[in-house]
C-alpha cells in the first residue's frame, strides 16, 4: 500500500514539474512570437485549403465532365499558388511583424527586414532542361519547402534588428524634420547592418559548398529526422506541437463552426 502511495506521489511530482516547465516554455517571448505570428497566417492557409478542396473535390469526376473540372482547376489554381504556394513568405512577414510588436518596436521595419533576409537566402539559379537559368526564384522555396528557413530568418533578423537598434549609431535629423521621416532615417543603420549579416551568412554557406540555407537545413535536420522513422522520439514531437498550438487550432475551428453549419444546411 505504501509503495502505491509513493509511486502516486512521484507521478504527481513529475506531472507538476512538467506543467511548470510547459508554463515557463509557453511564456517565453520567442514562443509567443512564433505562436502569434503563425496565427496571423491561418486565414491564408484556410483560404488556400478551401480553393484546393474545390479543385479536387471528392468524386467530382463522377458528376462533372473533364472540361468542367479543368476549368474549375484552372480558375482556382492561381488562388492556391498565391496562398499555399507562397506560405513561407507570409509566415516570414507575420513572424517578423510580430517580433516588432512583442518587443514594442516599429513593427513594419522588422517586417521589411525579415522578408528581405528570407529572400536573400533563396537560390537565384534554377536548373531547367539540363541548363542553368540565372536570376530566377523557384516557387518551391516560397511554399512549404521554405517555411523552416522563414522561421529562422524572421527570428534572426528580429534579434539582430533589436541589437543594432540599441547599440548602433543613429542618424540625427533636425527638429524641423517630420517624426516619420526621422524614424525612417534612424532605422537605416540597423536595417543595413542586419542585411549585411544576411549577406555574410549567404556567402559563408556558398563557400562551405552548399547551395543555400535550405540545403544546410536539409542536410543537418531533415535527413536525421527522416532516419528516425517511427521511433518514440519522433512520435513525441506531434504531441508537443499539439500541446503548444492545440488551443489555437480549436479557437479557429470554433470561429468557423457557424459558417460550416450554414454550408452543411445549403448542401442538404
Amino acid at each position: 500500500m505504501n509503495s502505491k502511495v509513493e509511486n502516486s506521489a512521484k507521478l504527481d511530482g513529475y506531472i507538476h514539474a512538467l506543467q511548470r516547465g510547459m508554463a515557463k516554455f509557453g511564456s517565453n517571448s520567442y514562443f509567443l512570437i512564433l505562436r502569434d505570428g503563425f496565427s496571423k497566417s491561418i486565414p491564408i492557409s484556410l483560404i488556400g485549403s478551401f480553393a484546393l478542396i474545390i479543385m479536387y473535390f471528392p468524386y467530382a469526376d463522377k458528376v462533372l465532365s473533364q472540361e468542367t473540372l479543368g476549368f474549375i482547376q484552372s480558375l482556382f489554381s492561381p488562388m492556391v499558388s498565391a496562398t499555399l504556394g507562397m506560405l513561407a513568405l507570409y509566415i516570414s512577414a507575420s513572424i517578423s511583424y510580430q517580433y516588432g510588436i512583442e518587443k514594442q518596436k516599429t513593427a513594419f521595419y522588422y517586417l521589411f527586414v525579415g522578408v528581405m533576409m528570407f529572400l536573400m537566402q533563396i537560390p537565384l539559379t534554377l536548373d531547367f532542361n539540363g541548363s542553368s537559368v540565372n536570376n530566377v526564384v523557384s516557387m518551391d522555396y516560397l511554399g512549404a519547402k521554405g517555411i523552416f528557413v522563414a522561421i529562422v530568418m524572421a527570428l534572426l533578423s528580429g534579434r539582430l534588428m533589436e541589437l543594432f537598434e540599441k547599440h548602433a549609431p543613429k542618424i540625427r535629423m533636425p527638429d524641423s524634420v517630420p517624426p516619420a521621416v526621422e524614424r525612417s532615417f534612424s532605422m537605416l543603420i540597423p536595417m543595413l547592418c542586419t542585411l549585411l549579416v544576411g549577406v555574410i551568412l549567404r556567402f559563408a554557406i556558398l563557400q562551405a559548398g552548399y547551395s543555400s540555407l535550405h540545403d544546410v537545413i536539409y542536410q543537418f535536420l531533415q535527413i536525421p529526422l527522416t532516419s528516425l522513422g517511427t521511433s518514440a522520439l519522433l512520435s513525441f514531437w506531434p504531441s508537443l506541437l499539439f500541446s503548444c498550438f492545440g488551443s489555437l487550432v480549436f479557437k479557429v475551428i470554433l470561429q468557423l463552426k457557424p459558417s460550416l453549419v450554414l454550408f452543411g444546411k445549403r448542401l442538404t
Side-chain angles (χ1 to χ4, degrees), residues 224-237:
L225 288 176
T226 304
S227 64
L228 291 176
T230 57
S231 64
L233 179 62
L234 190 61
S235 301
F236 167 75
W237 288 106

Side-chain angles (χ1 to χ4, degrees), residues 2-20:
N2 292 333
S3 61
K4 292 183 178 180
V5 174
E6 292 177 358
N7 292 334
S8 178
K10 290 182 180 179
L11 181 60
D12 291 338
Y14 292 145
I15 293 176
H16 290 313
L18 181 61
Q19 289 176 345
R20 288 193 300 269

